[in-house]
Amino acid sequence: MGRKERSLLIIKPDAVKRNLVGKILAQVENAGFKILDLKMLKIKKDKAQRFYGVHNGKPFYKELVNYISSGSIIPILLEKENAISDLRELIGNTDPAKAAPDTIRRNFALSITENSVHASDSKKTFEFESKFFFNRKKQ
Ligand code: GDP
């Protein structure tokens, strides 16, 4: 058995609006992830700009910031062996049209913007993103 690792999943506004929270959580739990913490909140544009700061200047930045601040989101702290890479595999390609069968984005996403979920893509981004939404350490 390898060491457990943590990652952060965010259920995005399009999925919350379309009542897909339960289905997405079921797929995540069925894939072996343990839910350590979760909450529902809305973020204002200035916070969204900080969250997606690495994309500042890209053509899709404004649309991305508007979209993620357009409704409720659910950040979820998850734990599993190889959580970061396994969660990226489970969510699938950023563009749902290119995502593999039975990935979350292939199953549920509408478009490259309304792509239902976010997942940390490295240990470094996980540290930033988990502090962004959960400021205490969970055991
Ligand atoms: P992710 O980690 O798969 O979510 O992808 P990135 O971190 O690279 O990008 C963050 C978000 O920006 C993605 O989930 C997309 O919604 C959006 N995005 C990334 N690349 C593009 C693009 O080329 N066009 C558009 N319209 N949106 C994009």
Side-chain angles (χ1 to χ4, degrees):
M1 285 260 287
R3 258 180 70 81
K4 295 235 163 119
E5 186 179 65
R6 290 173 184 190
S7 190
L8 185 96
L9 178 75
I10 303 173
I11 303 181
K12 292 180 171 182
D14 71 273
V16 175
K17 279 180 186 147
R18 290 181 293 134
N19 296 347
L20 293 170
V21 175
K23 285 189 174 134
I24 291 172
L25 287 180
Q27 193 169 343
V28 168
E29 288 191 319
N30 288 339
F33 291 87
K34 175 108 190 137
I35 297 173
L36 298 184
D37 204 353
L38 87 176
K39 59 174 120 179
M40 180 181 273
L41 70 155
K42 287 179 187 161
I43 55 172
K44 296 209 161 67
K45 270 194 197 172
D46 61 334
K47 197 163 177 181
Q49 284 166 340
R50 270 194 287 129
F51 185 75
Y52 279 129
V54 293
H55 296 298
N56 193 350
K58 294 184 187 166
F60 57 85
Y61 179 64
K62 197 175 166 192
E63 184 182 349
L64 181 59
V65 165
N66 286 341
Y67 161 67
I68 203 70
S69 55
S70 69
S72 295
I73 59 170
I74 305 179
I76 306 160
L77 194 58
L78 295 171
E79 188 173 73
K80 185 187 174 295
E81 283 171 33
N82 301 313
I84 293 171
S85 62
D86 285 3
L87 189 62
R88 289 297 302 187
E89 196 177 325
L90 184 67
I91 71 169
N93 194 286
T94 307
D95 181 352
K98 294 181 188 153
D102 209 32
T103 56
I104 292 174
R105 282 168 166 167
R106 175 74 166 263
N107 286 344
F108 303 115
L110 297 173
S111 67
I112 193 163
T113 298
E114 295 184 298
N115 61 4
S116 300
V117 285
H118 167 90
S120 305
D121 65 2
S122 68
K123 269 198 189 318
K124 207 174 152 203
T125 56
F126 167 72
E127 292 301 328
F128 169 75
E129 293 171 356
S130 59
K131 282 193 197 110
F132 199 91
F133 291 110
F134 301 99
N135 41 31
R136 71 212 144 87
K137 289 252 175 219
K138 279 256 167 180
Q139 292 311 314

